[in-house]
Amino acid sequence: MDYRFGKQYRLLKTDDFSSVFAFKNRRSRDLLQVSQSADNGLNHPRLGLVVSKKTAKRAHDRNYMKRVIRDWFRLNKNSLPPHDFVVRVRLAFNRQNAAEARNQLTQLMRKR
């Protein structure tokens, strides 16, 4: 199994993010919101992250949240459909409730 999070698994360009947001397929929980596109034409899923300064003022807090989400995606990418996903953090989480964020991510990323 390949557990890397290489460049081909990332949404990097503004157009990629815009196309996912334009599709308007969103699901939300308390901590996270996931937007999903249709089939991306690739044989693997891609992930984009949005963690605003409004959600967490300090950069190390935002980086921690992104690291948790990327780690979950890296371990579960083989079971995901070949779609583009954008995960937006709605409420800040830390080490104490990171497990809850992972559970919510699992619920939101299930095949529809």
Side-chain angles (χ1 to χ4, degrees), residues 60-111:
H60 70 281
D61 294 332
R62 293 192 304 274
N63 291 339
Y64 175 76
M65 290 182 260
K66 289 190 272 189
R67 194 166 43 249
V68 167
I69 295 167
R70 278 194 307 262
D71 187 53
W72 183 93
F73 180 82
R74 184 180 62 78
L75 296 173
N76 293 286
K77 68 184 175 192
N78 294 322
S79 63
L80 295 173
H83 297 170
D84 291 341
F85 297 95
V86 175
V87 178
R88 183 174 74 89
V89 177
R90 297 177 68 199
L91 289 174
F93 60 88
N94 53 26
R95 291 183 190 277
Q96 284 76 31
N97 56 352
E100 176 62 26
R102 288 185 191 99
N103 290 338
Q104 288 185 16
L105 198 54
T106 301
Q107 293 170 2
L108 293 170
M109 298 282 250
R110 274 186 295 191
K111 293 181 183 177

Side-chain angles (χ1 to χ4, degrees), residues 19-56:
S19 66
V20 174
F21 289 135
F23 197 68
K24 296 187 180 181
N25 188 359
R26 293 187 187 105
R27 296 173 81 189
S28 296
R29 295 282 186 265
D30 294 338
L31 300 174
L32 304 171
Q33 177 186 42
V34 175
S35 299
Q36 178 179 347
S37 72
D39 193 358
N40 62 12
L42 305 169
N43 288 331
H44 55 80
R46 296 190 300 174
L47 177 69
L49 297 169
V50 178
V51 184
S52 69
K53 286 185 183 178
K54 187 176 180 181
T55 303

